[in-house]
């Protein structure tokens, strides 16, 4: 077989990029070496349609053990009664839940995409917005916060079958209890999508959705620091609310509805190499030093917000409870797109992001989103966050000055040499 030098070289280039730059994209992180190596393992060769003990293929004894470990560890991590570790991604996990609990055309209510919600919660360009009748709640313009009375009003108006809480760019905690009382009032199921703050929830730094939300979905690759993938959980399993029964006349449990929605409803063969890597990540998240990590993530985010506000940056909701912040750049006279491009040139990797009530298009935007999950994994602390804000500010106030941008880049590359990434590779 001919060795592929082209991809081998690109892997080296990407590792160098990750080593030398400052990764501030809120949805990214660096997995442990074991998580990464498990993704690139012989489990990738195995077909295992079905679930542990009930597969459509032979030879699944070993992957059954790995998937069972992943499920048991995940249940322990969140105190969940039910877990499914097969969704290929966060969007797939949401799609499976929708498929399991909704009928085409059903009304749903989620967080406004232009306020920081996620595509898979009813965007017109996503299947969730094409198949279901999507409605949204958002934040208040003056506070950047969700007004729960308005959520209730909206829910009474649109009578959703499913209410979704959770977002991609909301820096505040969620009132799951109030969401549940609203869901109960209108007869909706409640889904919490904790893709972003999952690791902070697992370590009790944020409100726990499991006692209040019927179903929980998440990714495993953001604050949870595992492989790229999705999961579904329930705090408590329950009988389906539509009176569906088995042939023998027994009520069907939600665990069965969700399992069959994932497979065979949404997906074919599970990615057992990724599931095994999820098991490794859950094992890591169950250790004491993971809680120490998530605490440092939040401290770093708060230090970053404080330093940014001192330099006159407008942070949506004026603070953060989690690992991320959304910066409104309108008072700085640059768009999100221009800021992203200049910052990326300096190897400060961020993403442009719509801010609530944005007057720019999603391709331009007025804001950037910053997160501290990845830099905290690298070992950076609050003092370093002040330095990062100095660099961000130098770039944003000099977006057209390549000399300044290159000077910042050189300083960052030099600085990051103190924080080796995958030295074994
Ligand atoms: C990131 C994210 C997802 C989707 O994750 P993918 O793995 O990219 O499909 C879903 N929901 C929310 C709220 C997210 O932030």
């Amino acid at each position: 077989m001919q060795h592929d030098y082209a991809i081998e070289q690109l892997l080296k280039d990407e590792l160098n990029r990750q080593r030398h730059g400052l990764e501030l994209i809120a949805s990214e992180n660096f997995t442990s070496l074991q998580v990464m190596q498990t993704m690139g393992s012989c489990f990738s060769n195995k077909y295992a349609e079905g679930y542990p003990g009930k597969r459509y293929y032979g030879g699944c004894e070993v992957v059954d053990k790995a998937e069972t470990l992943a499920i048991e560890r995940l249940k322990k991590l969140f105190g969940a009664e039910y877990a499914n570790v097969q969704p290929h991604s966060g969007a797939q996990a949401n799609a499976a839940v929708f498929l399991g609990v909704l009928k085409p055309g059903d009304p749903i209510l989620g967080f406004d995409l232009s306020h920081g919600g996620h595509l898979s919660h009813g965007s017109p360009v996503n299947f969730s917005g094409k198949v279901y009748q999507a409605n949204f709640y958002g934040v208040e313009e003056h506070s950047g916060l969700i007004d729960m009375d308005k959520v209730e009003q909206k829910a009474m108006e649109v009578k959703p079958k499913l209410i979704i809480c959770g977002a991609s760019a909301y820096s505040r905690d969620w009132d799951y209890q109030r969401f549940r009382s609203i869901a109960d009032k209108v007869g909706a199921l409640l889904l919490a999508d904790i893709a972003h703050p999952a690791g902070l929830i697992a370590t009790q730094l944020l409100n726990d959705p499991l006692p209040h939300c019927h179903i929980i979905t998440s990714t495993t690759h953001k604050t949870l620091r595992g492989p790229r993938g999705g999961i579904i959980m329930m705090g408590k399993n329950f009988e389906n609310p539509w009176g569906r029964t088995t042939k023998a006349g027994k009520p069907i449990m939600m665990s069965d509805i969700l399992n069959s929605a994932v497979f065979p409803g949404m997906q074919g063969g599970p990615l057992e190499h990724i599931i095994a890597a999820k098991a490794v990540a859950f094992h890591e998240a169950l250790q004491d030093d993971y809680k120490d990590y998530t605490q440092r993530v939040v401290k770093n985010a708060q230090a970053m917000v404080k330093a940014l506000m001192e330099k006159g940056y407008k942070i949506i909701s004026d603070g953060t409870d989690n690992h991320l912040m959304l910066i409104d750049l309108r008072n700085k006279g640059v768009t999100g797109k221009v800021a992203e491009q200049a910052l990326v040139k300096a190897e400060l990797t961020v993403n442009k992001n719509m801010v609530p009530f944005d007057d720019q298009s999603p391709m331009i935007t007025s804001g950037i989103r910053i997160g501290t999950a990845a830099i905290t994994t690298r070992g950076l602390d609050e003092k370093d966050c002040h330095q990062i804000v100095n660099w961000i500010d130098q770039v944003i106030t000099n977006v057209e000055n390549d000399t300044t941008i290159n000077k910042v880049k050189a300083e960052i590359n030099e600085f990051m040499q103190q924080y080796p990434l995958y030295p074994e590779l």
Side-chain angles (χ1 to χ4, degrees):
M1 238 186 287
Q2 284 293 314
H3 185 74
D4 185 347
Y5 291 101
I7 288 293
E8 181 180 285
Q9 186 56 49
L10 292 177
L11 285 174
K12 283 186 188 154
D13 294 348
E14 176 62 12
L15 181 57
N16 273 326
R17 189 192 69 81
Q18 293 185 12
R19 279 176 172 162
H20 298 151
L22 264 170
E23 185 51 74
L24 296 171
I25 294 179
S27 48
E28 294 191 11
N29 212 328
F30 300 105
T31 69
S32 70
L33 188 63
Q34 191 183 6
V35 165
M36 206 159 66
Q37 288 178 335
T38 306
M39 286 190 259
S41 70
C42 62
F43 278 143
S44 178
N45 298 326
K46 189 72 199 93
Y47 241 115
E49 280 179 0
Y51 288 98
K54 296 173 292 237
R55 305 282 193 183
Y56 291 83
Y57 288 84
C60 291
E61 305 76 39
V62 183
V63 293
D64 272 8
K65 285 185 194 159
E67 186 166 338
T68 303
L69 264 181
I71 292 168
E72 291 311 317
R73 287 172 180 171
L74 178 58
K75 283 173 21 182
K76 185 166 173 207
L77 185 60
F78 285 91
E81 198 171 283
Y82 162 86
N84 186 312
V85 295
Q86 290 194 0
H88 299 333
S89 74
Q92 299 283 92
N94 288 336
V97 171
F98 288 18
L99 181 71
V101 309
L102 295 169
K103 290 194 297 295
D106 273 353
I108 59 175
L109 177 62
F111 188 58
D112 195 329
L113 307 164
S114 65
H115 290 194
H118 193 261
L119 273 178
S120 61
H121 299 177
S123 160
V125 299
N126 182 261
F127 105 101
S128 57
K130 295 180 194 289
V131 174
Y132 308 102
Q133 186 211 309
N135 303 277
F136 301 100
Y137 58 88
V139 299
E140 297 304 296
E141 191 161 12
H142 68 277
S143 63
L145 299 170
I146 298 169
D147 178 340
M148 291 306 296
D149 292 335
K150 292 205 174 152
V151 176
E152 177 160 343
Q153 226 172 16
K154 190 85 191 178
M156 300 294 277
E157 212 175 286
V158 304
K159 294 276 185 292
K161 297 284 184 210
L162 182 71
I163 298 179
I164 307 143
C165 40
S168 300
Y170 188 61
S171 63
R172 295 304 186 168
D173 205 353
W174 292 76
D175 186 351
Y176 301 110
Q177 197 165 2
R178 180 75 194 276
F179 267 99
R180 176 59 183 263
S181 79
I182 295 170
D184 286 345
K185 224 171 178 169
V186 300
L189 286 176
L190 181 62
L191 167 67
D193 177 349
I194 60 168
H196 266 271
L200 278 45
I201 290 168
T203 46
Q204 293 97 39
L205 302 186
L206 293 173
N207 294 335
D208 184 0
L210 273 83
H212 307 293
C213 302
H214 296 96
I215 306 168
I216 289 92
T217 55
S218 183
T219 61
T220 47
H221 49 274
K222 298 179 183 176
T223 52
L224 215 39
R225 208 162 61 176
R228 191 159 291 283
I231 48 176
I232 305 176
M233 296 182 282
M234 285 188 290
K236 279 227 170 316
N237 197 2
F238 57 101
E239 284 178 11
N240 83 85
W242 313 284
R244 291 187 213 155
T245 56
T246 62
K247 282 196 198 106
K250 279 211 338 204
I252 300 177
M253 297 304 288
M254 284 305 291
S255 52
D256 291 323
I257 286 177
L258 292 175
N259 280 347
S260 41
V262 174
F263 172 83
M266 268 309 290
Q267 297 185 170
L271 310 176
E272 292 297 343
H273 54 307
I274 301 298
I275 289 171
K278 286 174 182 170
V280 176
F282 302 151
H283 169 74
E284 292 171 358
L286 282 162
Q287 310 306 313
D288 291 340
D289 57 354
Y290 180 73
K291 178 155 189 173
D292 175 60
Y293 161 70
T294 57
Q295 282 168 335
R296 284 184 289 116
V297 167
V298 174
K299 277 193 193 138
N300 281 345
Q302 288 172 353
M304 194 98 85
V305 163
K306 186 159 171 280
L308 282 162
M309 286 173 75
E310 280 166 10
K311 288 204 181 293
Y313 287 86
K314 165 85 186 103
I315 308 294
I316 302 298
S317 89
D318 297 318
T320 182
D321 299 326
N322 56 30
H323 62 298
L324 65 80
M325 66 216 67
L326 189 54
I327 308 174
D328 184 340
L329 292 169
R330 284 180 286 198
N331 66 344
K332 295 284 177 179
V334 290
T335 64
K337 182 179 175 189
V338 167
E340 176 191 296
Q341 281 168 350
L343 288 165
V344 167
K345 258 200 245 170
E347 297 197 33
L348 280 151
T349 316
V350 302
N351 62 284
K352 62 176 182 279
N353 212 104
M354 300 276 278
V355 296
F357 308 95
D358 208 325
D359 24 41
Q360 299 283 356
S361 75
M363 287 311 292
I364 308 287
T365 81
S366 296
I368 52 173
R369 185 186 64 161
I370 286 182
T372 53
I375 55 164
T376 307
T377 297
R378 291 296 294 270
L380 273 58
D381 65 15
E382 292 154 272
K383 172 175 57 47
D384 301 320
C385 288
H386 276 86
Q387 177 57 52
I388 292 171
V389 168
N390 286 337
W391 281 322
I392 290 173
D393 186 52
Q394 280 177 48
V395 172
I396 286 183
T397 51
N398 290 280
V399 287
E400 274 162 22
N401 184 341
D402 278 346
T403 314
T404 304
I405 293 175
N406 285 330
K407 188 176 131 280
V408 170
K409 172 173 156 18
E411 285 172 17
I412 287 172
N413 293 162
E414 158 102 28
F415 175 77
M416 289 314 286
Q417 282 181 12
Q418 304 165 69
Y419 302 96
L421 179 66
Y422 306 122
E424 305 87 343
L425 299 182

